[in-house]
Amino acid sequence: MSGKKRNRIFWLEGVTESEVLKSLNDRKPSRFRQQSARRLLVLTLTGLIFALAAQILLPTTKWQTYLEFTLFAGVIVLYFVLRKAVRHIADSPNELLDERQISARDAAFTVAYRLLTLAFTVYALLYIADDALQGDPSPAGSDMGLGITALLISAAMLAASLPAMVLAWNLPSEPAVED
């Protein structure tokens, strides 16, 4: 039994033990280990998430659907790059992190939830603005399905990525490792 490698899955966090340990122990140089590159990644991801939310204000066309799909694909890709850039610290369970990483992660979650309240105010205003632009109060006459879907997907992606965004923004650059 000692030769068998353990790889637990943490379903709630969305990570595996081997994925987190590999990321934490990775010493290969990466552009995303520098604070300026991580901040640019955060700004880009934030822009794409809110562009996805702003889809609700556009008239429903075939091109809007293509744009929505492209934005969503970009958000997903950048979300996984961001998770890797912060070494999965924002998504890891306590048992895989040391005390410093746990406190940094917990502080990031506190800031993220405070920012989320502001973001959901913006989402509510977008919804109200779209409702005012539609002008048709009857749900049967409106084409709200795609707009609301984009808004909800955007809100979910923001909620999922915001702790990692805060962590990426606040973590200092990692020194280059000499072999």
Side-chain angles (χ1 to χ4, degrees):
M1 192 101 171
S2 63
K4 189 174 183 181
K5 192 173 181 179
R6 214 172 97 182
N7 187 22
R8 292 186 2 198
I9 299 173
F10 296 94
W11 293 102
L12 186 62
E13 292 85 358
V15 295
T16 63
E17 183 175 7
S18 64
E19 174 185 36
V20 171
L21 294 177
K22 180 181 175 189
S23 184
L24 290 173
N25 295 322
D26 184 16
R27 299 292 173 228
K28 290 187 299 188
S30 171
R31 169 181 340 159
F32 293 113
R33 305 264 164 79
Q34 301 303 311
Q35 188 180 48
S36 59
R38 284 194 307 257
R39 286 184 173 183
L40 182 61
L41 178 63
V42 167
L43 291 174
T44 304
L45 182 56
T46 303
L48 287 179
I49 287 173
F50 281 110
L52 185 61
Q55 292 289 313
I56 196 170
L57 300 175
L58 297 175
T60 304
T61 64
K62 181 171 41 169
W63 291 106
Q64 180 202 8
T65 306
Y66 295 148
L67 179 61
E68 184 178 328
F69 178 76
T70 304
L71 287 171
F72 181 61
V75 166
I76 292 290
V77 168
L78 289 182
Y79 170 68
F80 284 113
V81 171
L82 179 67
R83 283 176 48 147
K84 192 171 182 178
V86 296
R87 297 181 178 269
H88 295 88
I89 293 173
D91 303 313
S92 298
N94 287 349
E95 62 194 73
L96 299 179
L97 302 175
D98 63 25
E99 291 175 8
R100 181 191 59 82
Q101 292 165 333
I102 291 170
S103 70
R105 183 205 56 204
D106 291 348
F109 267 88
T110 301
V111 172
Y113 284 122
R114 290 178 182 158
L115 290 174
L116 206 53
T117 59
L118 294 173
F120 276 103
T121 302
V122 172
Y123 282 112
L125 292 174
L126 276 172
Y127 180 76
I128 291 168
D130 180 59
D131 200 33
L133 289 174
Q134 292 261 335
D136 185 6
S138 67
S142 65
D143 196 9
M144 291 286 290
L146 287 176
I148 292 299
T149 303
L151 195 65
L152 292 175
I153 289 172
S154 173
M157 288 306 300
L158 182 67
S161 62
L162 203 51
M165 285 180 175
V166 172
L167 200 57
W169 193 268
N170 291 331
L171 285 176
S173 295
E174 294 182 19
V177 177
E178 296 177 18
D179 289 325

PDB file of all heavy atoms in Angstrom, residues 63-82:
ATOM      1  N   TRP A  63     -25.163  37.559 -34.078  1.00  0.00           N
ATOM      2  CA  TRP A  63     -23.808  37.996 -33.764  1.00  0.00           C
ATOM      3  C   TRP A  63     -23.605  38.203 -32.273  1.00  0.00           C
ATOM      4  O   TRP A  63     -22.525  37.987 -31.754  1.00  0.00           O
ATOM      5  CB  TRP A  63     -23.460  39.267 -34.541  1.00  0.00           C
ATOM      6  CG  TRP A  63     -23.340  38.975 -35.997  1.00  0.00           C
ATOM      7  CD1 TRP A  63     -24.227  39.311 -36.978  1.00  0.00           C
ATOM      8  CD2 TRP A  63     -22.311  38.224 -36.621  1.00  0.00           C
ATOM      9  NE1 TRP A  63     -23.805  38.822 -38.178  1.00  0.00           N
ATOM     10  CE2 TRP A  63     -22.620  38.150 -38.002  1.00  0.00           C
ATOM     11  CE3 TRP A  63     -21.150  37.602 -36.180  1.00  0.00           C
ATOM     12  CZ2 TRP A  63     -21.830  37.490 -38.912  1.00  0.00           C
ATOM     13  CZ3 TRP A  63     -20.357  36.951 -37.099  1.00  0.00           C
ATOM     14  CH2 TRP A  63     -20.690  36.897 -38.445  1.00  0.00           C
ATOM     15  N   GLN A  64     -24.658  38.624 -31.585  1.00  0.00           N
ATOM     16  CA  GLN A  64     -24.559  38.772 -30.145  1.00  0.00           C
ATOM     17  C   GLN A  64     -24.313  37.414 -29.494  1.00  0.00           C
ATOM     18  O   GLN A  64     -23.527  37.293 -28.558  1.00  0.00           O
ATOM     19  CB  GLN A  64     -25.826  39.407 -29.562  1.00  0.00           C
ATOM     20  CG  GLN A  64     -25.725  39.571 -28.054  1.00  0.00           C
ATOM     21  CD  GLN A  64     -27.060  39.680 -27.370  1.00  0.00           C
ATOM     22  OE1 GLN A  64     -28.095  39.484 -27.983  1.00  0.00           O
ATOM     23  NE2 GLN A  64     -27.031  39.966 -26.086  1.00  0.00           N
ATOM     24  N   THR A  65     -24.968  36.394 -30.005  1.00  0.00           N
ATOM     25  CA  THR A  65     -24.775  35.048 -29.477  1.00  0.00           C
ATOM     26  C   THR A  65     -23.345  34.576 -29.695  1.00  0.00           C
ATOM     27  O   THR A  65     -22.730  33.989 -28.801  1.00  0.00           O
ATOM     28  CB  THR A  65     -25.764  34.074 -30.137  1.00  0.00           C
ATOM     29  OG1 THR A  65     -27.084  34.583 -29.984  1.00  0.00           O
ATOM     30  CG2 THR A  65     -25.681  32.694 -29.515  1.00  0.00           C
ATOM     31  N   TYR A  66     -22.794  34.838 -30.868  1.00  0.00           N
ATOM     32  CA  TYR A  66     -21.397  34.480 -31.143  1.00  0.00           C
ATOM     33  C   TYR A  66     -20.445  35.240 -30.225  1.00  0.00           C
ATOM     34  O   TYR A  66     -19.484  34.678 -29.692  1.00  0.00           O
ATOM     35  CB  TYR A  66     -21.034  34.758 -32.592  1.00  0.00           C
ATOM     36  CG  TYR A  66     -21.773  33.923 -33.596  1.00  0.00           C
ATOM     37  CD1 TYR A  66     -22.084  34.425 -34.857  1.00  0.00           C
ATOM     38  CD2 TYR A  66     -22.161  32.611 -33.312  1.00  0.00           C
ATOM     39  CE1 TYR A  66     -22.765  33.656 -35.789  1.00  0.00           C
ATOM     40  CE2 TYR A  66     -22.831  31.843 -34.241  1.00  0.00           C
ATOM     41  CZ  TYR A  66     -23.132  32.372 -35.477  1.00  0.00           C
ATOM     42  OH  TYR A  66     -23.798  31.606 -36.396  1.00  0.00           O
ATOM     43  N   LEU A  67     -20.722  36.534 -30.041  1.00  0.00           N
ATOM     44  CA  LEU A  67     -19.891  37.346 -29.167  1.00  0.00           C
ATOM     45  C   LEU A  67     -19.973  36.846 -27.729  1.00  0.00           C
ATOM     46  O   LEU A  67     -18.961  36.744 -27.026  1.00  0.00           O
ATOM     47  CB  LEU A  67     -20.318  38.815 -29.246  1.00  0.00           C
ATOM     48  CG  LEU A  67     -19.553  39.793 -28.365  1.00  0.00           C
ATOM     49  CD1 LEU A  67     -18.074  39.813 -28.744  1.00  0.00           C
ATOM     50  CD2 LEU A  67     -20.165  41.179 -28.482  1.00  0.00           C
ATOM     51  N   GLU A  68     -21.174  36.500 -27.304  1.00  0.00           N
ATOM     52  CA  GLU A  68     -21.380  35.982 -25.948  1.00  0.00           C
ATOM     53  C   GLU A  68     -20.597  34.691 -25.738  1.00  0.00           C
ATOM     54  O   GLU A  68     -19.926  34.516 -24.722  1.00  0.00           O
ATOM     55  CB  GLU A  68     -22.865  35.740 -25.717  1.00  0.00           C
ATOM     56  CG  GLU A  68     -23.213  35.297 -24.324  1.00  0.00           C
ATOM     57  CD  GLU A  68     -24.711  35.128 -24.151  1.00  0.00           C
ATOM     58  OE1 GLU A  68     -25.484  35.860 -24.783  1.00  0.00           O
ATOM     59  OE2 GLU A  68     -25.100  34.234 -23.371  1.00  0.00           O
ATOM     60  N   PHE A  69     -20.656  33.799 -26.700  1.00  0.00           N
ATOM     61  CA  PHE A  69     -19.918  32.536 -26.587  1.00  0.00           C
ATOM     62  C   PHE A  69     -18.411  32.792 -26.554  1.00  0.00           C
ATOM     63  O   PHE A  69     -17.685  32.178 -25.762  1.00  0.00           O
ATOM     64  CB  PHE A  69     -20.278  31.599 -27.739  1.00  0.00           C
ATOM     65  CG  PHE A  69     -19.521  30.311 -27.699  1.00  0.00           C
ATOM     66  CD1 PHE A  69     -19.869  29.313 -26.802  1.00  0.00           C
ATOM     67  CD2 PHE A  69     -18.436  30.103 -28.537  1.00  0.00           C
ATOM     68  CE1 PHE A  69     -19.153  28.126 -26.742  1.00  0.00           C
ATOM     69  CE2 PHE A  69     -17.712  28.926 -28.482  1.00  0.00           C
ATOM     70  CZ  PHE A  69     -18.076  27.934 -27.585  1.00  0.00           C
ATOM     71  N   THR A  70     -17.927  33.697 -27.397  1.00  0.00           N
ATOM     72  CA  THR A  70     -16.501  34.015 -27.430  1.00  0.00           C
ATOM     73  C   THR A  70     -16.041  34.620 -26.114  1.00  0.00           C
ATOM     74  O   THR A  70     -14.986  34.258 -25.583  1.00  0.00           O
ATOM     75  CB  THR A  70     -16.199  34.978 -28.599  1.00  0.00           C
ATOM     76  OG1 THR A  70     -16.653  34.389 -29.818  1.00  0.00           O
ATOM     77  CG2 THR A  70     -14.732  35.300 -28.700  1.00  0.00           C
ATOM     78  N   LEU A  71     -16.829  35.547 -25.580  1.00  0.00           N
ATOM     79  CA  LEU A  71     -16.482  36.141 -24.291  1.00  0.00           C
ATOM     80  C   LEU A  71     -16.476  35.090 -23.179  1.00  0.00           C
ATOM     81  O   LEU A  71     -15.579  35.071 -22.337  1.00  0.00           O
ATOM     82  CB  LEU A  71     -17.466  37.261 -23.940  1.00  0.00           C
ATOM     83  CG  LEU A  71     -17.321  38.554 -24.727  1.00  0.00           C
ATOM     84  CD1 LEU A  71     -18.491  39.487 -24.430  1.00  0.00           C
ATOM     85  CD2 LEU A  71     -16.005  39.232 -24.429  1.00  0.00           C
ATOM     86  N   PHE A  72     -17.477  34.213 -23.193  1.00  0.00           N
ATOM     87  CA  PHE A  72     -17.543  33.164 -22.178  1.00  0.00           C
ATOM     88  C   PHE A  72     -16.339  32.229 -22.274  1.00  0.00           C
ATOM     89  O   PHE A  72     -15.738  31.872 -21.252  1.00  0.00           O
ATOM     90  CB  PHE A  72     -18.857  32.382 -22.293  1.00  0.00           C
ATOM     91  CG  PHE A  72     -19.007  31.307 -21.272  1.00  0.00           C
ATOM     92  CD1 PHE A  72     -19.028  31.616 -19.915  1.00  0.00           C
ATOM     93  CD2 PHE A  72     -19.119  29.985 -21.640  1.00  0.00           C
ATOM     94  CE1 PHE A  72     -19.164  30.626 -18.959  1.00  0.00           C
ATOM     95  CE2 PHE A  72     -19.251  28.988 -20.687  1.00  0.00           C
ATOM     96  CZ  PHE A  72     -19.277  29.315 -19.349  1.00  0.00           C
ATOM     97  N   ALA A  73     -15.957  31.858 -23.475  1.00  0.00           N
ATOM     98  CA  ALA A  73     -14.774  30.998 -23.654  1.00  0.00           C
ATOM     99  C   ALA A  73     -13.519  31.699 -23.147  1.00  0.00           C
ATOM    100  O   ALA A  73     -12.674  31.085 -22.479  1.00  0.00           O
ATOM    101  CB  ALA A  73     -14.630  30.602 -25.119  1.00  0.00           C
ATOM    102  N   GLY A  74     -13.389  32.985 -23.438  1.00  0.00           N
ATOM    103  CA  GLY A  74     -12.238  33.752 -22.953  1.00  0.00           C
ATOM    104  C   GLY A  74     -12.203  33.828 -21.440  1.00  0.00           C
ATOM    105  O   GLY A  74     -11.139  33.706 -20.822  1.00  0.00           O
ATOM    106  N   VAL A  75     -13.368  34.018 -20.824  1.00  0.00           N
ATOM    107  CA  VAL A  75     -13.450  34.080 -19.364  1.00  0.00           C
ATOM    108  C   VAL A  75     -13.028  32.745 -18.749  1.00  0.00           C
ATOM    109  O   VAL A  75     -12.267  32.714 -17.776  1.00  0.00           O
ATOM    110  CB  VAL A  75     -14.879  34.475 -18.913  1.00  0.00           C
ATOM    111  CG1 VAL A  75     -15.084  34.223 -17.432  1.00  0.00           C
ATOM    112  CG2 VAL A  75     -15.151  35.932 -19.242  1.00  0.00           C
ATOM    113  N   ILE A  76     -13.499  31.657 -19.322  1.00  0.00           N
ATOM    114  CA  ILE A  76     -13.142  30.325 -18.791  1.00  0.00           C
ATOM    115  C   ILE A  76     -11.634  30.094 -18.886  1.00  0.00           C
ATOM    116  O   ILE A  76     -10.997  29.643 -17.925  1.00  0.00           O
ATOM    117  CB  ILE A  76     -13.908  29.212 -19.548  1.00  0.00           C
ATOM    118  CG1 ILE A  76     -15.398  29.272 -19.239  1.00  0.00           C
ATOM    119  CG2 ILE A  76     -13.352  27.835 -19.236  1.00  0.00           C
ATOM    120  CD1 ILE A  76     -15.761  28.877 -17.830  1.00  0.00           C
ATOM    121  N   VAL A  77     -11.053  30.393 -20.038  1.00  0.00           N
ATOM    122  CA  VAL A  77      -9.611  30.190 -20.225  1.00  0.00           C
ATOM    123  C   VAL A  77      -8.824  31.040 -19.233  1.00  0.00           C
ATOM    124  O   VAL A  77      -7.908  30.546 -18.555  1.00  0.00           O
ATOM    125  CB  VAL A  77      -9.195  30.493 -21.682  1.00  0.00           C
ATOM    126  CG1 VAL A  77      -7.701  30.586 -21.828  1.00  0.00           C
ATOM    127  CG2 VAL A  77      -9.761  29.449 -22.625  1.00  0.00           C
ATOM    128  N   LEU A  78      -9.164  32.322 -19.119  1.00  0.00           N
ATOM    129  CA  LEU A  78      -8.429  33.197 -18.212  1.00  0.00           C
ATOM    130  C   LEU A  78      -8.645  32.818 -16.745  1.00  0.00           C
ATOM    131  O   LEU A  78      -7.749  32.993 -15.919  1.00  0.00           O
ATOM    132  CB  LEU A  78      -8.819  34.658 -18.440  1.00  0.00           C
ATOM    133  CG  LEU A  78      -8.317  35.268 -19.741  1.00  0.00           C
ATOM    134  CD1 LEU A  78      -8.729  36.734 -19.839  1.00  0.00           C
ATOM    135  CD2 LEU A  78      -6.810  35.135 -19.882  1.00  0.00           C
ATOM    136  N   TYR A  79      -9.817  32.277 -16.432  1.00  0.00           N
ATOM    137  CA  TYR A  79     -10.079  31.807 -15.069  1.00  0.00           C
ATOM    138  C   TYR A  79      -9.104  30.695 -14.695  1.00  0.00           C
ATOM    139  O   TYR A  79      -8.524  30.701 -13.606  1.00  0.00           O
ATOM    140  CB  TYR A  79     -11.526  31.333 -14.949  1.00  0.00           C
ATOM    141  CG  TYR A  79     -11.833  30.622 -13.658  1.00  0.00           C
ATOM    142  CD1 TYR A  79     -11.833  31.302 -12.444  1.00  0.00           C
ATOM    143  CD2 TYR A  79     -12.120  29.262 -13.640  1.00  0.00           C
ATOM    144  CE1 TYR A  79     -12.111  30.644 -11.251  1.00  0.00           C
ATOM    145  CE2 TYR A  79     -12.413  28.609 -12.453  1.00  0.00           C
ATOM    146  CZ  TYR A  79     -12.403  29.301 -11.273  1.00  0.00           C
ATOM    147  OH  TYR A  79     -12.680  28.658 -10.091  1.00  0.00           O
ATOM    148  N   PHE A  80      -8.878  29.747 -15.593  1.00  0.00           N
ATOM    149  CA  PHE A  80      -7.953  28.655 -15.290  1.00  0.00           C
ATOM    150  C   PHE A  80      -6.505  29.135 -15.266  1.00  0.00           C
ATOM    151  O   PHE A  80      -5.701  28.650 -14.467  1.00  0.00           O
ATOM    152  CB  PHE A  80      -8.149  27.496 -16.259  1.00  0.00           C
ATOM    153  CG  PHE A  80      -9.379  26.692 -15.954  1.00  0.00           C
ATOM    154  CD1 PHE A  80     -10.454  26.679 -16.826  1.00  0.00           C
ATOM    155  CD2 PHE A  80      -9.481  25.962 -14.782  1.00  0.00           C
ATOM    156  CE1 PHE A  80     -11.605  25.963 -16.526  1.00  0.00           C
ATOM    157  CE2 PHE A  80     -10.615  25.238 -14.472  1.00  0.00           C
ATOM    158  CZ  PHE A  80     -11.685  25.234 -15.347  1.00  0.00           C
ATOM    159  N   VAL A  81      -6.157  30.113 -16.094  1.00  0.00           N
ATOM    160  CA  VAL A  81      -4.816  30.698 -16.042  1.00  0.00           C
ATOM    161  C   VAL A  81      -4.616  31.422 -14.708  1.00  0.00           C
ATOM    162  O   VAL A  81      -3.564  31.313 -14.083  1.00  0.00           O
ATOM    163  CB  VAL A  81      -4.588  31.659 -17.233  1.00  0.00           C
ATOM    164  CG1 VAL A  81      -3.300  32.444 -17.073  1.00  0.00           C
ATOM    165  CG2 VAL A  81      -4.579  30.891 -18.544  1.00  0.00           C
ATOM    166  N   LEU A  82      -5.646  32.140 -14.271  1.00  0.00           N
ATOM    167  CA  LEU A  82      -5.572  32.854 -12.997  1.00  0.00           C
ATOM    168  C   LEU A  82      -5.398  31.897 -11.825  1.00  0.00           C
ATOM    169  O   LEU A  82      -4.586  32.142 -10.928  1.00  0.00           O
ATOM    170  CB  LEU A  82      -6.832  33.700 -12.795  1.00  0.00           C
ATOM    171  CG  LEU A  82      -6.922  34.490 -11.497  1.00  0.00           C
ATOM    172  CD1 LEU A  82      -5.873  35.588 -11.473  1.00  0.00           C
ATOM    173  CD2 LEU A  82      -8.316  35.064 -11.326  1.00  0.00           C
TER     174      LEU A  82
END
